[in-house]
Amino acid sequence: MKHLLLIGIGPGNPRQITLEAIDALNRAEVFFVLDKGAAKDDMLRLRKELLERHVNRPYRLVQVEDPLRDGEASDYVGAVQDWHRQRAALYGRLIDSELADGQSGAFLLWGEPGLYDSTLRILELVEHQHFSLEVIPGISSVQALAARHRIPLNRIGEPLTVLPGRRLAEQAQIDNLVVMLDGHCAFAQLEDPDLHIYWGAYLGTPDELLIEGPLLAVKAQILAQREQARARKGWIMDTYLLRRR
């Protein structure tokens, strides 16, 4: 039987890969890497550097173009589901043509495979393939954000909510909340004077940006730095925690 490894490699710092992940890297004969275009060459380069640094056995690197998702579709869920089906078809072809029976293949996944990563859901859609699956956890951007700001994620007796940016406006009360995938900067629409924000971008990389303070006092600074960084690099990965003081 073919074997797949989903390996969490952390949010960007190559030293944050775990010993378990390094062991898993050295069990794979084939690594599948999705090319997301020239704007995201940094992400591809880091994956290749991790392999060169940590893998001490022969391996093959299979690099393919990632299907594009319609980011402007009015039906967000439908667009994501269609994108997942395209990826599932691609993964099925890769497993069929690039992985021999008895071999192990691996996907190197940013952050933590179980938190806002779609690979597990996509593999459930792969048809006519039989393979075993193993997930190796990684450090998430949420953990890295708290560490870099030197704060605990939770407060005593309070829950911690994690949600995507498109769901922020639905929150009637914000007490302790982490926002991911906020491409439209939903925090900029909030006018609550009691909210404090801990924001970070490119966490763990040389381009890391960190800003914290009362939301109303610093949100213009975050928007400006975010726009400058995106223009400079062509992409941005950021997350933040909103907390009622």
Side-chain angles (χ1 to χ4, degrees):
M1 179 178 284
K2 301 175 183 182
H3 187 61
L4 286 184
L5 296 152
L6 305 187
I7 305 174
I9 60 173
N13 186 337
R15 295 177 299 171
Q16 288 178 343
I17 189 169
T18 67
L19 294 177
E20 183 184 15
I22 293 173
D23 288 344
L25 292 177
N26 282 282
R27 288 192 282 123
E29 288 100 347
V30 182
F31 293 94
F32 301 116
V33 178
L34 298 183
D35 187 344
K36 297 177 180 291
K40 295 189 177 180
D41 277 348
D42 288 349
M43 302 165 76
L44 183 60
R45 175 181 50 78
L46 177 60
R47 285 181 168 94
K48 291 179 177 179
E49 288 176 356
L50 284 174
L51 294 178
E52 292 170 1
R53 177 183 298 189
H54 295 300
V55 179
N56 52 27
R57 56 175 289 176
Y59 63 87
R60 283 194 303 117
L61 186 69
V62 178
Q63 183 175 326
V64 294
E65 185 176 347
D66 190 17
L68 293 177
R69 177 173 69 84
D70 184 359
E72 302 300 323
S74 57
D75 180 7
Y76 173 82
V77 173
V80 170
Q81 290 174 339
D82 182 62
W83 179 47
H84 285 181
R85 285 190 288 269
Q86 293 180 58
R87 271 190 167 187
L90 173 62
Y91 290 2
R93 291 194 298 270
L94 290 174
I95 295 167
D96 180 55
S97 62
E98 300 290 348
L99 204 58
D101 194 44
Q103 281 192 321
S104 293
F107 289 90
L108 307 184
L109 305 181
W110 285 102
E112 158 54 34
L115 182 64
Y116 284 89
D117 183 89
S118 298
T119 308
L120 282 166
R121 278 186 290 271
I122 291 168
L123 288 173
E124 291 178 352
L125 301 175
V126 174
E127 299 178 345
H128 313 303
Q129 289 289 348
H130 299 284
F131 52 84
S132 57
L133 183 63
E134 184 178 351
V135 179
I136 290 82
I139 293 175
S140 71
S141 60
V142 178
Q143 293 168 280
L145 178 76
R148 295 297 290 131
H149 281 291
R150 303 180 300 279
I151 57 171
L153 281 170
N154 66 295
R155 296 195 291 195
I156 297 173
E158 284 189 4
L160 173 70
T161 302
V162 182
L163 50 73
R166 63 188 179 85
R167 303 295 296 271
L168 180 59
E170 302 171 7
Q171 304 305 301
Q173 172 81 7
I174 297 173
D175 291 311
N176 201 47
L177 184 148
V178 169
V179 181
M180 305 178 71
L181 306 176
D182 187 8
H184 296 288
C185 302
F187 65 88
Q189 305 304 314
L190 301 176
E191 297 295 339
D192 189 333
D194 293 327
L195 289 179
H196 200 91
I197 189 169
Y198 300 88
W199 177 84
Y202 312 114
L203 292 160
T205 75
D207 297 305
E208 181 177 88
L209 299 171
L210 296 170
I211 297 174
E212 67 95 7
L215 176 62
L216 298 186
V218 300
K219 68 179 178 181
Q221 180 187 358
I222 293 173
L223 290 170
Q225 289 222 14
R226 195 180 189 280
E227 184 61 29
Q228 292 167 11
R230 189 182 183 93
R232 182 175 68 252
K233 291 181 66 67
W235 62 279
I236 189 165
M237 275 189 178
D238 62 339
T239 189
Y240 56 89
L241 183 145
L242 290 170
R243 177 168 286 169
R244 186 170 301 280
R245 301 284 291 192

